[in-house]
PDB file of all heavy atoms in Angstrom:
ATOM      1  N   LYS R 249       2.238  -4.163 -19.107  1.00 91.00           N
ATOM      2  CA  LYS R 249       1.464  -5.297 -19.616  1.00 91.00           C
ATOM      3  C   LYS R 249       1.363  -6.449 -18.633  1.00 91.00           C
ATOM      4  O   LYS R 249       0.446  -7.248 -18.707  1.00 91.00           O
ATOM      5  CB  LYS R 249       2.073  -5.804 -20.921  1.00 91.00           C
ATOM      6  CG  LYS R 249       1.945  -4.829 -22.067  1.00 91.00           C
ATOM      7  CD  LYS R 249       2.519  -5.414 -23.332  1.00 91.00           C
ATOM      8  CE  LYS R 249       2.395  -4.425 -24.472  1.00 91.00           C
ATOM      9  NZ  LYS R 249       2.892  -4.969 -25.718  1.00 91.00           N
ATOM     10  N   GLU R 250       2.359  -6.557 -17.724  1.00 91.00           N
ATOM     11  CA  GLU R 250       2.388  -7.703 -16.815  1.00 91.00           C
ATOM     12  C   GLU R 250       2.742  -7.265 -15.404  1.00 91.00           C
ATOM     13  O   GLU R 250       3.501  -6.320 -15.208  1.00 91.00           O
ATOM     14  CB  GLU R 250       3.410  -8.731 -17.308  1.00 91.00           C
ATOM     15  CG  GLU R 250       3.032  -9.298 -18.651  1.00 91.00           C
ATOM     16  CD  GLU R 250       4.119 -10.148 -19.271  1.00 91.00           C
ATOM     17  OE1 GLU R 250       5.218 -10.247 -18.694  1.00 91.00           O
ATOM     18  OE2 GLU R 250       3.867 -10.705 -20.340  1.00 91.00           O
ATOM     19  N   TRP R 251       2.191  -7.985 -14.433  1.00 90.00           N
ATOM     20  CA  TRP R 251       2.451  -7.719 -13.021  1.00 90.00           C
ATOM     21  C   TRP R 251       3.811  -8.287 -12.664  1.00 90.00           C
ATOM     22  O   TRP R 251       4.056  -9.481 -12.805  1.00 90.00           O
ATOM     23  CB  TRP R 251       1.365  -8.369 -12.197  1.00 90.00           C
ATOM     24  CG  TRP R 251       1.378  -8.041 -10.734  1.00 90.00           C
ATOM     25  CD1 TRP R 251       2.182  -7.151 -10.085  1.00 90.00           C
ATOM     26  CD2 TRP R 251       0.526  -8.607  -9.742  1.00 90.00           C
ATOM     27  NE1 TRP R 251       1.881  -7.122  -8.748  1.00 90.00           N
ATOM     28  CE2 TRP R 251       0.872  -8.008  -8.498  1.00 90.00           C
ATOM     29  CE3 TRP R 251      -0.487  -9.554  -9.760  1.00 90.00           C
ATOM     30  CZ2 TRP R 251       0.231  -8.336  -7.319  1.00 90.00           C
ATOM     31  CZ3 TRP R 251      -1.115  -9.876  -8.580  1.00 90.00           C
ATOM     32  CH2 TRP R 251      -0.769  -9.266  -7.375  1.00 90.00           C
ATOM     33  N   LYS R 252       4.697  -7.432 -12.206  1.00 86.00           N
ATOM     34  CA  LYS R 252       6.044  -7.835 -11.816  1.00 86.00           C
ATOM     35  C   LYS R 252       6.335  -7.289 -10.423  1.00 86.00           C
ATOM     36  O   LYS R 252       5.597  -6.456  -9.905  1.00 86.00           O
ATOM     37  CB  LYS R 252       7.078  -7.256 -12.785  1.00 86.00           C
ATOM     38  CG  LYS R 252       6.919  -7.681 -14.218  1.00 86.00           C
ATOM     39  CD  LYS R 252       7.979  -7.010 -15.064  1.00 86.00           C
ATOM     40  CE  LYS R 252       7.709  -7.247 -16.537  1.00 86.00           C
ATOM     41  NZ  LYS R 252       8.736  -6.614 -17.359  1.00 86.00           N
ATOM     42  N   GLN R 253       7.429  -7.745  -9.875  1.00 86.00           N
ATOM     43  CA  GLN R 253       7.866  -7.223  -8.584  1.00 86.00           C
ATOM     44  C   GLN R 253       8.046  -5.714  -8.689  1.00 86.00           C
ATOM     45  O   GLN R 253       8.569  -5.207  -9.677  1.00 86.00           O
ATOM     46  CB  GLN R 253       9.183  -7.890  -8.188  1.00 86.00           C
ATOM     47  CG  GLN R 253       9.648  -7.516  -6.811  1.00 86.00           C
ATOM     48  CD  GLN R 253      10.920  -8.240  -6.412  1.00 86.00           C
ATOM     49  OE1 GLN R 253      11.589  -8.851  -7.239  1.00 86.00           O
ATOM     50  NE2 GLN R 253      11.274  -8.168  -5.146  1.00 86.00           N
ATOM     51  N   LYS R 254       7.574  -5.001  -7.674  1.00 86.00           N
ATOM     52  CA  LYS R 254       7.692  -3.548  -7.549  1.00 86.00           C
ATOM     53  C   LYS R 254       6.863  -2.768  -8.557  1.00 86.00           C
ATOM     54  O   LYS R 254       7.069  -1.574  -8.739  1.00 86.00           O
ATOM     55  CB  LYS R 254       9.150  -3.116  -7.563  1.00 86.00           C
ATOM     56  CG  LYS R 254       9.934  -3.719  -6.407  1.00 86.00           C
ATOM     57  CD  LYS R 254      11.350  -3.233  -6.334  1.00 86.00           C
ATOM     58  CE  LYS R 254      12.038  -3.913  -5.156  1.00 86.00           C
ATOM     59  NZ  LYS R 254      13.430  -3.647  -5.072  1.00 86.00           N
ATOM     60  N   VAL R 255       5.889  -3.419  -9.221  1.00 88.00           N
ATOM     61  CA  VAL R 255       4.954  -2.740 -10.119  1.00 88.00           C
ATOM     62  C   VAL R 255       3.632  -2.602  -9.371  1.00 88.00           C
ATOM     63  O   VAL R 255       3.091  -3.580  -8.874  1.00 88.00           O
ATOM     64  CB  VAL R 255       4.743  -3.542 -11.431  1.00 88.00           C
ATOM     65  CG1 VAL R 255       3.575  -2.988 -12.223  1.00 88.00           C
ATOM     66  CG2 VAL R 255       6.003  -3.529 -12.270  1.00 88.00           C
ATOM     67  N   GLY R 256       3.122  -1.383  -9.270  1.00 89.00           N
ATOM     68  CA  GLY R 256       1.864  -1.148  -8.568  1.00 89.00           C
ATOM     69  C   GLY R 256       0.676  -1.678  -9.370  1.00 89.00           C
ATOM     70  O   GLY R 256       0.617  -1.521 -10.583  1.00 89.00           O
ATOM     71  N   VAL R 257      -0.244  -2.319  -8.668  1.00 93.00           N
ATOM     72  CA  VAL R 257      -1.467  -2.840  -9.291  1.00 93.00           C
ATOM     73  C   VAL R 257      -2.663  -2.452  -8.429  1.00 93.00           C
ATOM     74  O   VAL R 257      -2.519  -2.088  -7.260  1.00 93.00           O
ATOM     75  CB  VAL R 257      -1.440  -4.384  -9.442  1.00 93.00           C
ATOM     76  CG1 VAL R 257      -0.258  -4.827 -10.269  1.00 93.00           C
ATOM     77  CG2 VAL R 257      -1.464  -5.081  -8.104  1.00 93.00           C
ATOM     78  N   ARG R 258      -3.838  -2.548  -9.024  1.00 94.00           N
ATOM     79  CA  ARG R 258      -5.081  -2.445  -8.267  1.00 94.00           C
ATOM     80  C   ARG R 258      -5.737  -3.812  -8.325  1.00 94.00           C
ATOM     81  O   ARG R 258      -5.701  -4.486  -9.353  1.00 94.00           O
ATOM     82  CB  ARG R 258      -5.994  -1.392  -8.869  1.00 94.00           C
ATOM     83  CG  ARG R 258      -5.513   0.015  -8.653  1.00 94.00           C
ATOM     84  CD  ARG R 258      -6.534   1.045  -9.160  1.00 94.00           C
ATOM     85  NE  ARG R 258      -6.055   2.373  -8.930  1.00 94.00           N
ATOM     86  CZ  ARG R 258      -5.268   3.046  -9.776  1.00 94.00           C
ATOM     87  NH1 ARG R 258      -4.895   2.511 -10.903  1.00 94.00           N
ATOM     88  NH2 ARG R 258      -4.860   4.262  -9.478  1.00 94.00           N
ATOM     89  N   LEU R 259      -6.356  -4.204  -7.213  1.00 96.00           N
ATOM     90  CA  LEU R 259      -7.083  -5.468  -7.159  1.00 96.00           C
ATOM     91  C   LEU R 259      -8.559  -5.157  -6.970  1.00 96.00           C
ATOM     92  O   LEU R 259      -8.971  -4.631  -5.937  1.00 96.00           O
ATOM     93  CB  LEU R 259      -6.557  -6.343  -6.016  1.00 96.00           C
ATOM     94  CG  LEU R 259      -5.114  -6.806  -6.180  1.00 96.00           C
ATOM     95  CD1 LEU R 259      -4.612  -7.487  -4.919  1.00 96.00           C
ATOM     96  CD2 LEU R 259      -4.985  -7.744  -7.375  1.00 96.00           C
ATOM     97  N   LYS R 260      -9.331  -5.472  -8.006  1.00 96.00           N
ATOM     98  CA  LYS R 260     -10.770  -5.204  -7.996  1.00 96.00           C
ATOM     99  C   LYS R 260     -11.506  -6.502  -7.685  1.00 96.00           C
ATOM    100  O   LYS R 260     -11.301  -7.522  -8.343  1.00 96.00           O
ATOM    101  CB  LYS R 260     -11.204  -4.672  -9.364  1.00 96.00           C
ATOM    102  CG  LYS R 260     -12.675  -4.338  -9.448  1.00 96.00           C
ATOM    103  CD  LYS R 260     -13.001  -3.784 -10.831  1.00 96.00           C
ATOM    104  CE  LYS R 260     -14.455  -3.426 -10.954  1.00 96.00           C
ATOM    105  NZ  LYS R 260     -14.749  -2.890 -12.304  1.00 96.00           N
ATOM    106  N   HIS R 261     -12.353  -6.468  -6.675  1.00 98.00           N
ATOM    107  CA  HIS R 261     -13.103  -7.658  -6.293  1.00 98.00           C
ATOM    108  C   HIS R 261     -14.155  -7.939  -7.362  1.00 98.00           C
ATOM    109  O   HIS R 261     -14.960  -7.071  -7.700  1.00 98.00           O
ATOM    110  CB  HIS R 261     -13.751  -7.447  -4.923  1.00 98.00           C
ATOM    111  CG  HIS R 261     -14.334  -8.688  -4.365  1.00 98.00           C
ATOM    112  ND1 HIS R 261     -15.681  -8.878  -4.255  1.00 98.00           N
ATOM    113  CD2 HIS R 261     -13.741  -9.818  -3.914  1.00 98.00           C
ATOM    114  CE1 HIS R 261     -15.900 -10.078  -3.736  1.00 98.00           C
ATOM    115  NE2 HIS R 261     -14.727 -10.663  -3.524  1.00 98.00           N
TER     116      HIS R 261
END
Side-chain angles (χ1 to χ4, degrees):
K249 292 182 180 182
E250 297 171 356
W251 188 6
K252 300 179 189 181
Q253 186 177 13
K254 299 184 181 173
V255 168
V257 302
R258 289 185 179 87
L259 295 172
K260 181 179 181 180
H261 190 250

